mmCIF file of all heavy atoms in Angstrom:
data_model
loop_
_atom_site.group_PDB
_atom_site.id
_atom_site.type_symbol
_atom_site.label_atom_id
_atom_site.label_comp_id
_atom_site.label_asym_id
_atom_site.label_seq_id
_atom_site.Cartn_x
_atom_site.Cartn_y
_atom_site.Cartn_z
ATOM 1 N N LEU A 810 23.326 4.551 -9.486
ATOM 2 C CA LEU A 810 23.244 3.842 -10.764
ATOM 3 C C LEU A 810 23.719 4.726 -11.909
ATOM 4 O O LEU A 810 24.539 4.316 -12.736
ATOM 5 C CB LEU A 810 21.804 3.374 -11.012
ATOM 6 C CG LEU A 810 21.544 2.708 -12.365
ATOM 7 C CD1 LEU A 810 22.330 1.408 -12.489
ATOM 8 C CD2 LEU A 810 20.044 2.448 -12.555
ATOM 9 N N ALA A 811 23.203 5.944 -11.961
ATOM 10 C CA ALA A 811 23.574 6.865 -13.038
ATOM 11 C C ALA A 811 25.065 7.181 -13.019
ATOM 12 O O ALA A 811 25.668 7.435 -14.073
ATOM 13 C CB ALA A 811 22.757 8.147 -12.921
ATOM 14 N N ALA A 812 25.656 7.144 -11.816
ATOM 15 C CA ALA A 812 27.089 7.442 -11.685
ATOM 16 C C ALA A 812 27.960 6.209 -11.914
ATOM 17 O O ALA A 812 29.192 6.306 -11.914
ATOM 18 C CB ALA A 812 27.361 8.014 -10.304
ATOM 19 N N GLY A 813 27.328 5.039 -12.092
ATOM 20 C CA GLY A 813 28.085 3.819 -12.330
ATOM 21 C C GLY A 813 28.527 3.092 -11.084
ATOM 22 O O GLY A 813 29.348 2.171 -11.154
ATOM 23 N N GLY A 814 27.976 3.456 -9.923
ATOM 24 C CA GLY A 814 28.381 2.829 -8.670
ATOM 25 C C GLY A 814 27.756 1.471 -8.436
ATOM 26 O O GLY A 814 28.274 0.673 -7.649
ATOM 27 N N ILE A 815 26.619 1.182 -9.078
ATOM 28 C CA ILE A 815 25.963 -0.119 -8.977
ATOM 29 C C ILE A 815 25.596 -0.577 -10.382
ATOM 30 O O ILE A 815 25.591 0.207 -11.327
ATOM 31 C CB ILE A 815 24.708 -0.072 -8.076
ATOM 32 C CG1 ILE A 815 23.686 0.934 -8.619
ATOM 33 C CG2 ILE A 815 25.081 0.270 -6.640
ATOM 34 C CD1 ILE A 815 22.371 0.964 -7.839
ATOM 35 N N ASP A 816 25.265 -1.864 -10.514
ATOM 36 C CA ASP A 816 24.956 -2.422 -11.831
ATOM 37 C C ASP A 816 23.495 -2.239 -12.236
ATOM 38 O O ASP A 816 23.191 -2.087 -13.423
ATOM 39 C CB ASP A 816 25.315 -3.908 -11.863
ATOM 40 C CG ASP A 816 26.803 -4.138 -11.679
ATOM 41 O OD1 ASP A 816 27.579 -3.633 -12.502
ATOM 42 O OD2 ASP A 816 27.179 -4.799 -10.691
ATOM 43 N N PHE A 817 22.611 -2.292 -11.266
ATOM 44 C CA PHE A 817 21.201 -2.038 -11.572
ATOM 45 C C PHE A 817 20.462 -1.636 -10.305
ATOM 46 O O PHE A 817 20.963 -1.815 -9.190
ATOM 47 C CB PHE A 817 20.536 -3.243 -12.249
ATOM 48 C CG PHE A 817 20.280 -4.432 -11.369
ATOM 49 C CD1 PHE A 817 19.038 -4.624 -10.764
ATOM 50 C CD2 PHE A 817 21.258 -5.395 -11.170
ATOM 51 C CE1 PHE A 817 18.784 -5.743 -9.975
ATOM 52 C CE2 PHE A 817 21.014 -6.519 -10.382
ATOM 53 C CZ PHE A 817 19.779 -6.690 -9.780
ATOM 54 N N ALA A 818 19.272 -1.089 -10.495
ATOM 55 C CA ALA A 818 18.443 -0.658 -9.369
ATOM 56 C C ALA A 818 17.033 -1.200 -9.546
ATOM 57 O O ALA A 818 16.556 -1.373 -10.678
ATOM 58 C CB ALA A 818 18.401 0.863 -9.271
ATOM 59 N N ALA A 819 16.372 -1.472 -8.442
ATOM 60 C CA ALA A 819 14.972 -1.882 -8.448
ATOM 61 C C ALA A 819 14.167 -0.835 -7.697
ATOM 62 O O ALA A 819 14.464 -0.528 -6.544
ATOM 63 C CB ALA A 819 14.814 -3.250 -7.779
ATOM 64 N N CYS A 820 13.185 -0.267 -8.377
ATOM 65 C CA CYS A 820 12.279 0.716 -7.762
ATOM 66 C C CYS A 820 11.139 0.973 -8.736
ATOM 67 O O CYS A 820 11.056 0.331 -9.787
ATOM 68 C CB CYS A 820 13.016 2.005 -7.401
ATOM 69 S SG CYS A 820 13.626 2.947 -8.813
ATOM 70 N N SER A 821 10.267 1.900 -8.429
ATOM 71 C CA SER A 821 9.116 2.165 -9.285
ATOM 72 C C SER A 821 9.489 3.019 -10.490
ATOM 73 O O SER A 821 10.545 3.670 -10.515
ATOM 74 C CB SER A 821 8.017 2.875 -8.489
ATOM 75 O OG SER A 821 8.393 4.212 -8.202
ATOM 76 N N MET A 822 8.607 3.056 -11.478
ATOM 77 C CA MET A 822 8.821 3.895 -12.657
ATOM 78 C C MET A 822 8.745 5.394 -12.322
ATOM 79 O O MET A 822 9.590 6.165 -12.794
ATOM 80 C CB MET A 822 7.809 3.548 -13.751
ATOM 81 C CG MET A 822 7.899 2.124 -14.263
ATOM 82 S SD MET A 822 9.471 1.715 -15.043
ATOM 83 C CE MET A 822 9.355 2.626 -16.558
ATOM 84 N N PRO A 823 7.770 5.836 -11.504
ATOM 85 C CA PRO A 823 7.733 7.260 -11.172
ATOM 86 C C PRO A 823 9.010 7.757 -10.508
ATOM 87 O O PRO A 823 9.460 8.872 -10.766
ATOM 88 C CB PRO A 823 6.529 7.373 -10.229
ATOM 89 C CG PRO A 823 5.640 6.250 -10.624
ATOM 90 C CD PRO A 823 6.570 5.136 -11.000
ATOM 91 N N GLU A 824 9.604 6.921 -9.653
ATOM 92 C CA GLU A 824 10.836 7.319 -8.974
ATOM 93 C C GLU A 824 11.991 7.477 -9.960
ATOM 94 O O GLU A 824 12.891 8.296 -9.766
ATOM 95 C CB GLU A 824 11.197 6.286 -7.906
ATOM 96 C CG GLU A 824 10.271 6.316 -6.701
ATOM 97 C CD GLU A 824 10.480 5.145 -5.761
ATOM 98 O OE1 GLU A 824 10.643 4.005 -6.245
ATOM 99 O OE2 GLU A 824 10.468 5.354 -4.533
ATOM 100 N N ALA A 825 11.972 6.688 -11.029
ATOM 101 C CA ALA A 825 13.064 6.712 -12.007
ATOM 102 C C ALA A 825 12.782 7.629 -13.194
ATOM 103 O O ALA A 825 13.663 7.829 -14.041
ATOM 104 C CB ALA A 825 13.312 5.291 -12.514
ATOM 105 N N GLU A 826 11.596 8.184 -13.255
ATOM 106 C CA GLU A 826 11.146 8.911 -14.452
ATOM 107 C C GLU A 826 12.101 10.008 -14.897
ATOM 108 O O GLU A 826 12.427 10.128 -16.091
ATOM 109 C CB GLU A 826 9.758 9.496 -14.212
ATOM 110 C CG GLU A 826 9.173 10.185 -15.441
ATOM 111 C CD GLU A 826 7.722 10.570 -15.240
ATOM 112 O OE1 GLU A 826 7.222 10.467 -14.092
ATOM 113 O OE2 GLU A 826 7.087 10.960 -16.227
ATOM 114 N N ALA A 827 12.575 10.813 -13.975
ATOM 115 C CA ALA A 827 13.422 11.951 -14.353
ATOM 116 C C ALA A 827 14.710 11.488 -15.036
ATOM 117 O O ALA A 827 15.118 12.046 -16.068
ATOM 118 C CB ALA A 827 13.751 12.793 -13.119
ATOM 119 N N LEU A 828 15.345 10.453 -14.491
ATOM 120 C CA LEU A 828 16.594 9.971 -15.074
ATOM 121 C C LEU A 828 16.358 9.213 -16.376
ATOM 122 O O LEU A 828 17.208 9.222 -17.270
ATOM 123 C CB LEU A 828 17.323 9.069 -14.067
ATOM 124 C CG LEU A 828 17.972 9.795 -12.881
ATOM 125 C CD1 LEU A 828 18.533 8.801 -11.882
ATOM 126 C CD2 LEU A 828 19.075 10.731 -13.365
ATOM 127 N N ILE A 829 15.188 8.572 -16.492
ATOM 128 C CA ILE A 829 14.846 7.904 -17.756
ATOM 129 C C ILE A 829 14.692 8.944 -18.859
ATOM 130 O O ILE A 829 15.263 8.814 -19.952
ATOM 131 C CB ILE A 829 13.548 7.080 -17.611
ATOM 132 C CG1 ILE A 829 13.743 5.927 -16.633
ATOM 133 C CG2 ILE A 829 13.107 6.548 -18.978
ATOM 134 C CD1 ILE A 829 12.449 5.209 -16.262
ATOM 135 N N LYS A 830 13.928 9.991 -18.559
ATOM 136 C CA LYS A 830 13.684 11.035 -19.553
ATOM 137 C C LYS A 830 14.955 11.807 -19.886
ATOM 138 O O LYS A 830 15.104 12.345 -20.993
ATOM 139 C CB LYS A 830 12.592 11.970 -19.062
ATOM 140 C CG LYS A 830 11.206 11.318 -19.063
ATOM 141 C CD LYS A 830 10.121 12.283 -18.651
ATOM 142 C CE LYS A 830 8.742 11.631 -18.792
ATOM 143 N NZ LYS A 830 7.639 12.541 -18.363
ATOM 144 N N ALA A 831 15.887 11.849 -18.937
ATOM 145 C CA ALA A 831 17.166 12.532 -19.184
ATOM 146 C C ALA A 831 18.131 11.648 -19.970
ATOM 147 O O ALA A 831 19.228 12.090 -20.337
ATOM 148 C CB ALA A 831 17.798 12.935 -17.858
ATOM 149 N N GLY A 832 17.731 10.389 -20.227
ATOM 150 C CA GLY A 832 18.563 9.487 -21.005
ATOM 151 C C GLY A 832 19.740 8.909 -20.243
ATOM 152 O O GLY A 832 20.692 8.402 -20.850
ATOM 153 N N ARG A 833 19.656 8.923 -18.914
ATOM 154 C CA ARG A 833 20.780 8.433 -18.121
ATOM 155 C C ARG A 833 20.602 6.981 -17.678
ATOM 156 O O ARG A 833 21.581 6.306 -17.384
ATOM 157 C CB ARG A 833 20.986 9.332 -16.905
ATOM 158 C CG ARG A 833 21.319 10.786 -17.290
ATOM 159 C CD ARG A 833 21.596 11.637 -16.080
ATOM 160 N NE ARG A 833 22.796 11.201 -15.367
ATOM 161 C CZ ARG A 833 23.172 11.675 -14.183
ATOM 162 N NH1 ARG A 833 22.424 12.592 -13.574
ATOM 163 N NH2 ARG A 833 24.275 11.232 -13.604
ATOM 164 N N ILE A 834 19.366 6.508 -17.626
ATOM 165 C CA ILE A 834 19.114 5.112 -17.284
ATOM 166 C C ILE A 834 18.041 4.540 -18.208
ATOM 167 O O ILE A 834 17.303 5.285 -18.870
ATOM 168 C CB ILE A 834 18.684 4.929 -15.804
ATOM 169 C CG1 ILE A 834 17.319 5.577 -15.550
ATOM 170 C CG2 ILE A 834 19.722 5.483 -14.854
ATOM 171 C CD1 ILE A 834 16.777 5.315 -14.159
ATOM 172 N N ARG A 835 17.961 3.192 -18.247
ATOM 173 C CA ARG A 835 16.955 2.482 -19.038
ATOM 174 C C ARG A 835 16.226 1.489 -18.144
ATOM 175 O O ARG A 835 16.797 0.993 -17.170
ATOM 176 C CB ARG A 835 17.610 1.704 -20.188
ATOM 177 C CG ARG A 835 18.197 2.534 -21.297
ATOM 178 C CD ARG A 835 18.723 1.644 -22.430
ATOM 179 N NE ARG A 835 19.959 0.946 -22.093
ATOM 180 C CZ ARG A 835 20.053 -0.361 -21.857
ATOM 181 N NH1 ARG A 835 18.963 -1.135 -21.864
ATOM 182 N NH2 ARG A 835 21.231 -0.921 -21.586
ATOM 183 N N SER A 836 15.000 1.163 -18.494
ATOM 184 C CA SER A 836 14.221 0.189 -17.728
ATOM 185 C C SER A 836 14.104 -1.108 -18.518
ATOM 186 O O SER A 836 13.809 -1.085 -19.720
ATOM 187 C CB SER A 836 12.829 0.740 -17.426
ATOM 188 O OG SER A 836 12.924 1.977 -16.742
ATOM 189 N N LEU A 837 14.335 -2.233 -17.832
ATOM 190 C CA LEU A 837 14.319 -3.536 -18.495
ATOM 191 C C LEU A 837 13.002 -4.283 -18.359
ATOM 192 O O LEU A 837 12.626 -5.039 -19.244
ATOM 193 C CB LEU A 837 15.444 -4.417 -17.936
ATOM 194 C CG LEU A 837 16.883 -3.923 -18.102
ATOM 195 C CD1 LEU A 837 17.853 -4.957 -17.548
ATOM 196 C CD2 LEU A 837 17.187 -3.619 -19.568
#
Side-chain angles (χ1 to χ4, degrees):
L810 176 64
I815 59 176
D816 296 300
F817 72 96
C820 66
S821 71
M822 298 298 288
E824 289 170 318
E826 184 171 9
L828 287 174
I829 295 170
K830 289 183 175 179
R833 299 183 65 188
I834 66 174
R835 291 184 287 108
S836 304
L837 299 183

